[in-house]
Amino acid sequence: MEESFVPFRGIKNDVEKRLKCYKQDWTGGFRAGFSILAPTTYIFFASAIPVISFGEQLGRETDGTLTAVQTLASTALCGIIHSIVGGQPLLILGVAEPTVIMYTFMFNFAKNRSDLGSKLFLAWTGWVCMWTALLLFLLAILGACSIINRFTRIAGELFGLLIAMLFMQEAIKGIVDEFRVPERENPKLIEYQPSWRFANGMSSLVLSFGLLHTALQSRKARSWRYGSGCLRGFIADYGVPLMVLVWTAVSYIPARSVPKGIPRRLFSPNPWSPGAYENWTVIKDMLNVPLLYIIGAFIPATMIAVLYYFDHSVASQLAQQKEFNLRKPSSFHYDLLLLGLMVIICGLLGIPPANGVIPQSPMHTKSLATLKHQLLRNRLVETAHKCISNNASLGQVYGSMQEAYQQMQSPLIYQESSAQGLKELKESRIQMDAPVDESAFDIEKEIDDLLPVEVKEQRLSNLLQSTMVGGCVAAMPLLKRIPTSVLWGYFAFMAIDSLPGNQFWERILLIFTAPSRRYKVLENYHATFVETVPFKTILVFTIFQTAYLLVCFGITWVPIAGVLFPVMIMLLVPVRQYVLPRFFKGAHLQDLDAAEYEEAPALSFNLASEREMSRTTSFTREMSRSASFAKDMSRNTSFTKDMSRSSSFASDGEILDGMVTRSRGEIRRMCSLKHTSCSETSSKELKSLQSPRVSEKVYSPRVSELKGELSPRQRARGPFSPSAGESKPSNLGKSG
């Protein structure tokens, strides 16, 4: 995004760029067919369930003036508008907890004023929304979103982890409250007696943890060894919403033997209940608000405007991170302008406004990355099988796959080129003229190794999920059957599901990893800073970031000032530019706070090779693959079979030869050896048969030594790594 503070220039550039993409935004979604329903359903539940929970919280805090009906209506209305005329369709809008906190504060302020009261509360919030929209218009026109360019990874990932902590906090508080008597309820009712409250709390633990565990496991269904591929794919795509339905059904099993209120379920009035529609006509009461309060509404409006500016822009930025390899332009300025318009509409309708939310926005992009990977994979697999059936050579197969890959890119002049994906395919070292033996060559694994991260950028999934959220308003009688404990489990799932791919979180895990086990980090795809930055520097940087995170989290506990925690995140911009360079080397900061999530390939640790090398004294003898080694390997049929599929193993009980869905949607496999026939393959041919990700560039020359000493597995193989050639010391274990 160009950094420009010239009035209207940012909005003009955004509109011009996104208009060129508008038609393809819709055609791309419809061409995906029914497969678009998987990410749509996934993000619908991720969007609707928190909004319902926040609506129930808002109903308690505002004495029923605002309920889940209003929060769902706002989320649906703003989502539909944004999906149709918005700039960045990957951005998900919803009513977030900071909005609930602000509306709670404004309600407590209004109900204690005799000339305002709860009767004119919504009319007064209408004026607050008018002031908020005016400030958002000014920020958009003056190009304030250009500052977002200065928000580096340290700010974005800290904010994302903070939101995950707030979601987990909400889940824990909700489960604890299941053991207590709800506010404004009669404690003499049978379901609120101590024994039944304990029973309700224990059943809530079962339902919430049951949903959390099964939802997390269903996301990994593609790597299961059981069931057909279609079944595993279906569970991976739709498992999370299915688990909500399953555990809701489980909650009805002991229905005849327990009181009606156990387990507790959602409470919200139906949209057609008497008085439920009064807020829709709040515009007629806005002129009854005293002039003093109309002017005073500017104060909370300033807080909300700052909050929305930050939340909306950062949510959009996290949904467009560089590692997603998006090809269409951003639209920060125009989207902020549109947000101001939607705030006015919500204020006039008497419903709380919706803005860009985290973690739903990056979750939406990740789910669409998985969809794009599946579409590309299916097309390339079909192309490869067709070539193999015609006795094509491996080089011809790859040429056909490259052509099919290019055809699916739908190149347009306003899009960035997809050179990264094509480059990975062109870099393949496989140039074999012999026909491919399909029984010995796993083309699907090879395609998984080669395909880059790409996102199906379109508007249809956002429109469909927003429409489904709107349908929840009419389906309120059914939604009230969902136990509240299932919502707490889903909150915990969203918090945990947003952690993988966050380098801040990965560094925390690295710090708590035993020094003798840190080498195992290198056996998987890992961030490049693990190899390039000394461990002491990683430790100090992570401690600083953690301390800053705890300060921000502590601020959220302050009653009204808690909504100003984005100000602390914004302060990270000058801290990053002027303070951190005084304590860290520039090269280390560049790696730890890189704009793009850069990964280094896995360093293979082959157990079979280790065992053989422990009997030899020279690495070169092992590389020659002596006849005795081949004979010894042939004795173990399971190793022989696995060696034809994977070039690396973690341990005897940690063999991973399946699909792994990364947090941001990338699907990787352990790199596999390529065989073109069932005949013997020489060591030279074996090297040429390796995937581009298992070539020389895969093995980092810096990684061989951890904390100044060889790992247990490296001791067995001697001072050299059979995978990486001559080894050099790694920075992972160094202190300086």
Side-chain angles (χ1 to χ4, degrees):
M1 178 177 63
E2 178 185 358
E3 187 168 319
S4 173
F5 298 96
V6 177
F8 292 101
R9 176 176 293 179
I11 298 175
K12 177 184 176 182
N13 293 339
D14 289 346
V15 172
E16 290 178 349
K17 293 178 181 178
R18 292 304 309 192
L19 277 178
K20 298 176 181 179
C21 312
Y22 192 77
K23 180 180 178 180
Q24 204 276 334
D25 283 343
W26 291 106
T27 57
F30 285 107
R31 287 175 181 172
F34 288 103
S35 58
I36 197 68
L37 294 179
T40 298
T41 306
Y42 174 69
I43 202 62
F44 158 67
F45 275 83
S47 179
I49 289 181
V51 168
I52 294 172
S53 178
F54 292 145
E56 188 179 27
Q57 176 185 347
L58 194 58
R60 293 193 304 267
E61 301 293 343
T62 61
D63 297 334
T65 304
L66 294 171
T67 64
V69 173
Q70 283 75 35
T71 56
L72 285 170
S74 173
T75 300
L77 177 63
C78 295
I80 291 174
I81 293 175
H82 182 80
S83 63
I84 296 176
V85 298
Q88 179 49 262
L90 299 178
L91 180 64
I92 299 296
L93 274 63
V95 176
E97 187 170 16
T99 301
V100 175
I101 296 175
M102 283 302 305
Y103 266 69
T104 299
F105 164 74
M106 291 189 293
F107 178 80
N108 293 331
F109 174 83
K111 72 176 183 179
N112 295 325
R113 302 294 186 276
S114 57
D115 50 350
L116 195 59
S118 58
K119 184 178 181 180
L120 292 177
F121 161 65
L122 292 179
W124 182 57
T125 58
W127 287 109
V128 173
C129 290
M130 297 293 288
W131 283 114
T132 301
L134 177 61
L135 294 174
L136 292 176
F137 289 154
L138 291 175
L139 290 172
I141 292 172
L142 298 177
C145 289
S146 297
I147 302 177
I148 295 299
N149 283 337
R150 303 178 185 178
F151 281 87
T152 57
R153 177 174 290 274
I154 183 177
E157 293 192 335
L158 190 147
F159 186 60
L161 195 55
L162 175 62
I163 296 299
M165 292 176 63
L166 293 177
F167 269 82
M168 185 60 72
Q169 172 188 268
E170 192 70 21
I172 296 174
K173 289 172 58 178
I175 293 176
V176 171
D177 288 341
E178 295 289 342
F179 289 88
R180 300 172 178 171
V181 179
E183 297 181 6
R184 303 182 182 88
E185 293 290 345
N186 184 6
K188 296 182 179 180
L189 295 176
I190 185 174
E191 60 264 29
Y192 299 136
Q193 297 303 309
S195 59
W196 284 116
R197 280 193 284 113
F198 179 77
N200 178 78
M202 296 305 295
S203 65
S204 299
L205 287 174
V206 173
L207 294 174
S208 57
F209 278 95
L211 174 72
L212 173 61
H213 176 72
T214 54
L216 290 174
Q217 292 301 316
S218 66
R219 294 291 290 169
K220 305 175 183 178
R222 286 191 175 89
S223 62
W224 293 356
R225 67 177 66 182
Y226 307 107
S228 63
C230 295
L231 177 61
R232 288 184 277 112
F234 178 81
I235 294 176
D237 291 335
Y238 300 98
V240 176
L242 283 176
M243 291 304 105
V244 174
L245 300 179
V246 167
W247 288 101
T248 299
V250 170
S251 68
Y252 280 94
I253 292 178
R256 297 182 179 180
S257 57
V258 298
K260 184 179 180 181
I262 298 176
R264 298 172 191 171
R265 304 185 187 276
L266 294 175
F267 175 78
S268 180
N270 295 324
W272 51 82
S273 301
Y277 49 83
E278 291 181 356
N279 62 295
W280 303 104
T281 57
V282 70
I283 187 173
K284 63 182 177 61
D285 297 326
M286 290 183 64
L287 295 179
N288 297 331
V289 178
L291 179 62
L292 178 63
Y293 293 104
I294 295 177
I295 299 175
F298 180 81
I299 298 176
T302 303
M303 301 171 63
I304 296 176
V306 173
L307 182 69
Y308 282 5
Y309 159 73
F310 181 83
D311 278 7
H312 202 71
S313 300
V314 172
S316 182
Q317 184 191 47
L318 293 180
Q320 304 174 75
Q321 297 177 78
K322 287 188 176 181
E323 55 259 32
F324 290 133
N325 298 324
L326 301 183
R327 302 177 60 198
K328 296 181 180 178
S330 59
S331 180
F332 290 96
H333 307 279
Y334 170 70
D335 283 345
L336 190 64
L337 181 73
L338 182 63
L339 176 63
L341 177 61
M342 291 185 289
V343 168
I344 292 179
I345 296 175
C346 291
L348 297 179
L349 293 177
I351 56 180
N355 64 284
V357 288
I358 302 171
Q360 290 90 331
S361 295
M363 287 172 66
H364 183 216
T365 307
K366 295 169 188 175
S367 63
L368 292 175
T370 303
L371 170 64
K372 183 63 176 290
H373 181 99
Q374 292 170 349
L375 294 175
L376 287 170
R377 182 177 184 271
N378 293 340
R379 176 67 178 275
L380 296 186
V381 168
E382 179 183 356
T383 301
H385 284 313
K386 185 181 296 185
C387 293
I388 293 174
S389 63
N390 294 329
N391 295 325
S393 66
L394 199 54
Q396 292 172 335
V397 170
Y398 272 78
S400 299
M401 288 196 299
Q402 290 177 15
E403 183 179 354
Y405 179 88
Q406 292 172 342
Q407 291 175 355
M408 292 195 68
Q409 295 308 307
S410 301
L412 300 172
I413 58 174
Y414 51 81
Q415 290 181 317
E416 295 182 5
S417 63
S418 57
Q420 179 176 0
L422 293 178
K423 181 179 180 181
E424 289 202 25
L425 291 173
K426 290 177 179 178
E427 284 181 354
S428 175
R429 298 169 58 86
I430 305 174
Q431 297 295 334
M432 303 298 294
D433 298 329
V436 179
D437 185 352
E438 191 170 1
S439 62
F441 178 73
D442 195 338
I443 193 64
E444 296 184 5
K445 286 186 179 182
E446 172 63 16
I447 291 175
D448 284 332
D449 287 341
L450 294 177
L451 279 177
V453 179
E454 290 190 28
V455 177
K456 189 67 175 178
E457 301 178 64
Q458 40 72 49
R459 297 178 179 269
L460 187 58
S461 61
N462 201 343
L463 176 62
L464 290 177
Q465 73 89 18
S466 300
T467 305
M468 293 167 68
V469 171
C472 291
V473 177
M476 189 58 66
L478 296 177
L479 294 178
K480 290 192 291 185
R481 297 180 178 273
I482 301 177
T484 53
S485 52
V486 170
L487 266 67
W488 310 139
Y490 196 88
F491 269 67
F493 163 75
M494 292 182 62
I496 295 175
D497 194 51
S498 65
L499 295 179
N502 188 314
Q503 283 192 11
F504 182 15
W505 174 250
E506 292 177 357
R507 280 187 273 109
I508 293 176
L509 296 180
L510 178 64
I511 289 174
F512 285 97
T513 302
S516 61
R517 306 290 289 176
R518 286 180 193 146
Y519 72 93
K520 293 184 70 65
V521 175
L522 306 174
E523 294 182 348
N524 300 311
Y525 277 82
H526 52 276
T528 55
F529 70 82
V530 175
E531 302 179 15
T532 60
V533 181
F535 181 77
K536 181 179 179 180
T537 304
I538 297 175
L539 176 64
V540 175
F541 187 83
T542 306
I543 290 176
F544 160 76
Q545 206 171 358
T546 303
Y548 204 98
L549 171 67
L550 294 178
V551 171
C552 295
F553 181 70
I555 290 178
T556 62
W557 285 71
V558 182
I560 182 58
V563 298
L564 296 179
F565 71 87
V567 176
M568 291 294 298
I569 308 295
M570 296 175 68
L571 287 177
L572 278 175
V573 174
V575 169
R576 170 63 179 86
Q577 290 184 343
Y578 304 110
V579 178
L580 292 183
R582 297 176 178 269
F583 299 94
F584 300 95
K585 295 180 180 179
H588 294 164
L589 276 180
Q590 184 66 27
D591 289 336
L592 292 170
D593 194 29
E596 185 174 0
Y597 188 105
E598 299 178 356
E599 280 189 331
L603 177 63
S604 300
F605 295 93
N606 190 301
L607 289 182
S609 299
E610 294 167 16
R611 294 167 182 170
E612 181 66 21
M613 286 196 65
S614 64
R615 305 166 192 160
T616 63
T617 58
S618 173
F619 167 66
T620 55
R621 296 179 185 175
E622 175 62 20
M623 288 300 292
S624 65
R625 299 185 180 273
S626 63
S628 60
F629 171 73
K631 181 178 180 180
D632 187 44
M633 284 293 295
S634 64
R635 296 172 185 170
N636 192 327
T637 57
S638 62
F639 265 125
T640 304
K641 183 177 180 180
D642 288 332
M643 279 296 290
S644 66
R645 295 183 177 180
S646 175
S647 63
S648 61
F649 300 90
S651 70
D652 285 315
E654 299 172 353
I655 298 174
L656 177 60
D657 186 20
M659 183 176 297
V660 178
T661 305
R662 298 301 300 268
S663 166
R664 59 186 182 279
E666 184 173 5
I667 302 177
R668 294 195 188 276
R669 287 177 181 267
M670 301 289 282
C671 299
S672 56
L673 299 178
K674 280 69 183 178
H675 293 268
T676 59
S677 67
C678 295
S679 59
E680 292 184 353
T681 306
S682 65
S683 59
K684 293 182 179 180
E685 292 174 341
L686 190 61
K687 183 178 180 180
S688 67
L689 289 176
Q690 288 186 342
S691 168
R693 294 188 181 183
V694 199
S695 58
E696 294 100 17
K697 66 173 185 175
V698 166
Y699 306 108
S700 171
R702 292 186 295 271
V703 183
S704 67
E705 212 178 310
L706 301 176
K707 202 169 184 179
E709 60 183 14
L710 296 175
S711 71
R713 301 185 180 193
Q714 287 172 314
R715 295 192 192 104
R717 67 170 71 136
F720 298 104
S721 168
S723 300
E726 185 178 354
S727 56
K728 296 181 181 179
S730 168
N731 288 326
L732 181 58
K734 291 187 177 181
S735 59

